[in-house]
Amino acid sequence: MQYFIGIVPPDDLKKKIMKFQQHWENNRIVDGVEPHITVKAQGGITPDMAWLERVKKICESFLSFEVNIRDPKFFGEDILYLSVESDELIKLHEILVETISPSKELIKAYFELDEYIPHLTLGQTHFGLTNLELNDMAIKAKQELNPTETFKVEFIRVYESTETGKYLKFIDIHLKEM
């Protein structure tokens, strides 16, 4: 089993993004996981679940916060995402990485800490799209998604991989109310 920790947008925004992603029939990202913002990638999150109680403890004292969804951008030419702005999100990421304590190699492999860029992936060539489709998607994302949404983060979601490679909700962990 593999796990990672993410933030799920509110239902209306999540549905809007999913509907948008489905316009490209080759976009297999919709088959793998719901739209989310990764807070802590798989590195160091072990099947023994020893990390889970420590994550719950962090969330008990970490105040809920807001994130801002912004313009579409690219990682290289192969991944299109909506940018995400939130100082609190970056702080939560840092605390989770410190608590889970992955190796330096895993931190580097999963682009964490100094290389962490909060984002919500719309599509990528790895999931079946061509570069041309991604460029088309970027133009349409700016027009159709009007990415200037702000929403309050009240919980984080731990995702678990299935035998088919899909990631599903394992548990939601609530943050401390403001």
Side-chain angles (χ1 to χ4, degrees), residues 71-88:
D71 290 332
K73 295 184 178 179
F74 284 91
F75 289 125
E77 297 178 356
D78 298 319
I79 301 171
L80 174 66
Y81 65 92
L82 292 175
S83 57
V84 176
E85 297 172 353
S86 171
D87 292 339
E88 294 88 353

Side-chain angles (χ1 to χ4, degrees), residues 5 51-59 96 100 156 173:
I5 301 169
W51 51 272
L52 187 57
E53 286 307 313
R54 296 191 308 266
V55 169
K56 287 179 180 178
K57 194 86 172 146
I58 288 165
C59 292
L96 290 174
I100 292 170
I156 59 173
I173 305 170

Side-chain angles (χ1 to χ4, degrees), residues 16-33:
K16 185 177 176 181
I17 291 168
M18 289 173 73
K19 185 177 179 184
F20 176 81
Q21 290 173 319
Q22 291 168 351
H23 284 284
W24 289 265
E25 62 184 54
N26 294 330
N27 193 6
R28 292 189 320 271
I29 194 169
V30 296
D31 300 330
V33 67

